[in-house]
Amino acid sequence: MALVFSEKAQASYEKLLKRYVDKQAVLLPVLYIAQDEFGWLSDDALKATAELTGTPEAVVRATATFYTMFDKKQVGKHHIQVCTNVSCDIVGSEAILRHLEEKLGIKAGETSVDKKYTLSEVECLGACGYGPMMEITSRGAPGEEIKDEYYENLTVEKVDEILGTLL
Amino acid sequence: MAEKSEYCEHILLSRVDLENSTSIDVYLKSGGYETLKKTVSGRQPQEIVDVVRESGLRGRGGAGFPAGVKWGFLPKDSKLPIYLIGNADEGEPGTFKDRVLIEKDPHQLIEGMAITAFAIKCHTAYIYIRGEFAKGAKILNKAIDEAYEKGFLGDKVCGTDFKFDIYVHRGAGAYVCGEETALIESIEGKKGQPRLKPPFPANVGVFQGPTIVNNVETLSSVPWIVKNGAEAYRKYGTEKSAGTKLFCVSGHVEKPGVYELPLGFPLMQLVNEVCGGVKDGKKLKGVIPGGSSTPILTPEECENVNLDYESLMEAGSMLGSGAVIVLDETVDIVRVAARLGKFYSHESCGQCTPCREGSGYISGLLQRLNEGKGEEGDLELIESLCDNMAGKTVCPLADAMVMPVKGFLKKFRSEFEARIRKKAYQKADKG
């Protein structure tokens, strides 16, 4: 099904254009908008982005697939990202990840059947002194503002508490 | 989030503990934007470049190139607009210092960028912030709006004819975009694949225009330096490594965090005194002194080394981004090496064959060693792969992988060998 950007999104796009002398430069911010609008970057969402920006679809796809934060498959309402890089690993991030896997019934890299949770193992998020840590990206309805939160100095108990607050 | 230390005046962290430290009112109350006002209304651009060059301020992102010298590379008669980019793509594992400056004192960065822009005759700047710092991007956008409202940004900066705009551009999860030419490609809406240099960004950068890319910490140091002068800045640090620097300490210490210290500060004093020592009284196994790309130091090597560009280079490592990762005696070095191998292999942009293939190959070998499935000859194979990667690629990502891997193999070789031998014993047992 052909996807179309909302009027609000189109207005944001017009504003973004003024920031750059080259129109392809809007691609990263517009891909974020597309992700907000359509939930994830499906083929149709990429097509719509190409159309809106007048950029060849192949270029849009090349850029979108290079960056890990652009979701090429549907993610859950709450995307739980656990850093397992060295500073977090040596203070126990693996135990946190395993606990989340058990609690959510999914492995890292998977999305729960009800599409409520996606669990990911990610690279350094720049919170190295406060590990183990995770970032949770929560989406509301399409177009609604995305919530992004860092949770630091995690323990298994703290993780349970945090999970309890996710609606 | 940031700890104050008693060892020097705080140039960078002077406001981070204030209530509402991100608001423009708090910034103004502490003398903020005064230096910008004086700069744009009474000083010459070249004067500012000279002060920063004489201060000895070096790039705080990792490379340590003198900032004023970099600015001096810009062509004098450019027909294309000059751009300034604040590099907030903080991604080097172990590094979490720019985040403090962004989330706690955004106006200091904005003022630093405006002064820098005036010095290099630039009218448009971008702050390239890593995508995961969504909170930081929000704080920056709000601070930028406030600065426009008060006339510190826009068509008439502080009522003068100097025009200057700043835009926040979010990255989207790619370590390599911290490299300045990859960052430029990323702003242009492309894959973040580094460009071949020369031409350097100072000649051909974003949208073909001459471009200066400076780290957040570098730019945040500028207001203080311009206000107080080069000599005042040189009071701190060493002859070649002037000023103060943020050190972000993670891993096994009692008090991890971000500390501002004069360059040349003894590493073990940072670990033992500032950070309260190795956690739970355990023994030290090693310190990665400047982010994951810098070779590990053994306890003996840590003993007499100071935290400045020259001392760490002499000790066979690097100051890098000032990310100090402390490892206690319980840490399994093979596991650490395998985890970092996985990181670099994941982050290789895929452009150069030695890095794309080599990083994956080395990572695979390290995983298998870590799982106890290593074979005789694996260590030599890794070293040979390292030699075929370092210096043979467009950007330093391959070197960034090779340096720590070689360091682990050289300094903790017996641990790798023991892992291989253990497997051989198990085989013999079964036989």
Side-chain angles (χ1 to χ4, degrees):
Chain A
M1 193 185 76
L3 294 170
V4 182
F5 280 92
S6 67
E7 265 176 40
K8 189 180 152 210
Q10 290 188 30
S12 305
Y13 163 71
E14 295 294 335
K15 242 173 97 183
L16 281 169
L17 273 179
K18 298 194 181 99
R19 299 178 166 200
Y20 311 96
V21 296
D22 185 294
K23 69 172 187 179
Q24 194 185 321
V26 297
L27 217 44
L28 260 64
V30 172
L31 283 167
Y32 271 119
I33 295 177
Q35 195 155 280
D36 289 3
E37 289 260 301
F38 310 126
W40 60 290
L41 296 177
S42 61
D43 284 353
D44 288 333
L46 293 178
K47 225 174 255 170
T49 305
E51 243 162 63
L52 178 73
T53 59
T55 313
E57 212 182 310
V59 174
V60 174
R61 189 174 300 274
T63 297
T65 51
F66 185 83
Y67 300 92
T68 52
M69 286 180 67
F70 293 137
D71 301 318
K72 274 74 66 179
K73 54 184 187 188
Q74 190 170 4
V75 290
K77 182 176 178 193
H78 304 290
H79 188 183
I80 303 173
Q81 300 144 84
V82 182
C83 170
T84 60
N85 208 304
V86 169
S87 292
C88 283
D89 183 51
I90 61 173
V91 294
S93 60
E94 191 176 19
I96 298 296
L97 186 65
R98 295 292 160 262
H99 179 72
L100 277 161
E101 284 182 339
E102 201 173 299
K103 199 86 187 175
L104 303 174
I106 47 174
K107 292 253 172 263
E110 293 178 352
T111 298
S112 62
V113 181
D114 61 2
K115 301 268 185 263
K116 188 164 176 193
Y117 303 103
T118 296
L119 181 63
S120 299
E121 185 181 348
V122 296
E123 295 299 353
C124 183
L125 292 176
C128 321
Y130 324 109
M133 65 82 62
M134 63 183 176
E135 180 183 11
I136 302 182
T137 309
S138 300
R139 290 163 203 284
E144 216 175 274
E145 202 186 4
I146 289 174
K147 258 178 59 187
D148 250 307
E149 204 68 57
Y150 272 31
Y151 299 92
E152 299 169 333
N153 299 310
L154 293 176
T155 57
V156 164
E157 295 75 33
K158 217 165 149 183
V159 167
D160 288 343
E161 228 173 85
I162 295 161
L163 286 181
T165 65
L166 299 179
L167 300 172
Chain B
M1 219 165 132
E3 310 288 332
K4 289 211 169 181
S5 65
E6 319 290 316
Y7 303 93
C8 64
E9 180 182 351
H10 280 101
I11 290 174
L12 290 155
L13 299 182
S14 66
R15 273 172 297 263
V16 293
D17 291 334
L18 299 178
E19 206 177 317
N20 290 325
S21 64
T22 59
S23 89
I24 198 162
D25 293 332
V26 170
Y27 190 66
L28 288 170
K29 218 180 264 170
S30 63
Y33 288 115
E34 282 300 323
T35 311
L36 174 65
K37 254 186 239 168
K38 283 187 189 145
T39 300
V40 295
S41 51
R43 301 183 76 170
Q44 292 301 315
Q46 189 58 44
E47 270 177 66
I48 307 297
V49 177
D50 290 342
V51 171
V52 171
R53 199 185 50 240
E54 283 157 19
S55 77
L57 173 66
R58 293 169 67 167
R60 300 290 193 233
F65 194 81
V69 177
K70 197 180 205 182
W71 299 356
F73 288 156
L74 287 167
K76 297 277 170 268
D77 50 356
S78 174
K79 296 204 168 51
L80 289 165
I82 292 168
Y83 292 96
L84 172 66
I85 298 171
N87 187 346
D89 194 47
E90 182 166 68
E92 172 81 3
T95 315
F96 53 106
K97 64 184 179 70
D98 295 337
R99 187 177 152 211
V100 180
L101 295 172
I102 293 163
E103 291 186 1
K104 295 289 176 186
D105 202 352
H107 285 288
Q108 178 173 254
L109 171 62
I110 295 167
E111 184 175 12
M113 290 184 76
I115 295 169
T116 303
F118 177 79
I120 63 172
K121 300 177 183 168
C122 150
H123 304 289
T124 308
Y126 300 99
I127 298 175
Y128 185 95
I129 184 167
R130 65 176 299 177
E132 294 87 346
F133 284 176
K135 181 177 166 196
K138 254 184 224 163
I139 290 171
L140 276 174
N141 274 320
K142 184 163 173 265
I144 289 171
D145 287 347
E146 286 179 330
Y148 270 105
E149 255 169 54
K150 300 261 185 199
F152 299 120
L153 293 174
D155 289 343
K156 288 193 166 299
V157 173
C158 303
T160 67
D161 285 336
F162 176 55
K163 175 184 186 305
F164 182 53
D165 294 307
I166 301 184
Y167 305 109
V168 173
H169 188 100
R170 285 179 74 199
Y175 167 71
V176 73
C177 288
E179 194 279 338
E180 55 183 19
T181 61
L183 187 158
I184 286 169
E185 289 282 301
S186 183
I187 288 189
E188 291 182 355
K190 302 170 190 161
K191 293 186 277 187
Q193 293 189 319
R195 295 177 181 174
L196 202 57
K197 294 192 266 193
F200 288 90
N203 285 306
V204 183
V206 72
F207 310 128
Q208 304 295 310
T211 303
I212 292 295
V213 185
N214 283 143
N215 174 259
V216 163
E217 186 185 346
T218 314
L219 291 163
S220 296
S221 305
V222 168
W224 194 96
I225 293 171
V226 172
K227 181 181 174 198
N228 297 282
E231 211 171 301
Y233 193 66
R234 283 189 166 280
K235 264 202 331 224
Y236 303 107
T238 69
E239 171 68 27
K240 287 182 176 165
S241 298
T244 66
K245 159 116 197 63
L246 297 186
F247 291 95
C248 28
V249 187
S250 64
H252 297 127
V253 288
E254 290 291 344
K255 291 185 287 177
V258 181
Y259 301 92
E260 179 168 8
L261 295 166
L263 281 161
F265 197 82
L267 170 60
M268 286 318 290
Q269 198 180 346
L270 170 63
V271 173
N272 288 328
E273 216 175 278
V274 181
C275 297
V278 179
K279 202 165 189 311
D280 301 329
K282 291 216 170 63
K283 275 201 206 127
L284 185 67
K285 182 158 204 172
V287 174
I288 300 174
S292 69
S293 309
T294 63
I296 190 169
L297 299 174
T298 61
E300 297 73 43
E301 290 171 321
C302 290
E303 218 43 69
N304 291 310
V305 78
N306 294 337
L307 294 162
D308 58 76
Y309 298 98
E310 289 68 35
S311 301
L312 279 160
M313 191 71 97
E314 217 173 283
S317 190
M318 282 165 77
L319 181 72
S321 56
V324 179
I325 308 173
V326 179
L327 312 175
D328 76 13
E329 56 187 324
T330 66
V331 170
D332 173 357
I333 292 291
V334 182
R335 182 183 166 107
V336 170
R339 184 62 189 84
L340 284 181
K342 189 176 155 200
F343 167 71
Y344 288 103
S345 141
H346 178 257
E347 299 299 338
S348 173
C349 82
Q351 182 176 214
C352 309
T353 311
C355 178
R356 181 186 64 237
E357 302 301 320
S359 63
Y361 205 158
I362 292 177
S363 172
L365 287 165
L366 288 170
Q367 303 318 316
R368 120 173 163 188
L369 278 160
N370 186 35
E371 287 162 15
K373 295 175 191 154
E375 303 280 348
E376 288 291 340
D378 276 2
L379 305 185
E380 292 72 19
L381 183 53
I382 291 172
E383 280 163 337
S384 142
L385 285 160
C386 283
D387 293 339
N388 281 294
M389 285 170 70
K392 294 182 168 63
T393 51
V394 165
C395 89
L397 194 138
D399 297 75
M401 174 177 201
V402 166
M403 286 186 296
V405 166
K406 283 180 100 167
F408 291 130
L409 285 182
K410 189 173 145 207
K411 295 174 186 179
F412 293 91
R413 198 169 192 88
S414 58
E415 286 197 26
F416 289 87
E417 286 169 347
R419 200 70 63 94
I420 296 173
R421 271 202 308 275
K422 198 169 151 201
K423 185 199 160 199
Y425 286 142
Q426 282 166 346
K427 241 191 201 165
D429 268 359
K430 276 179 200 154

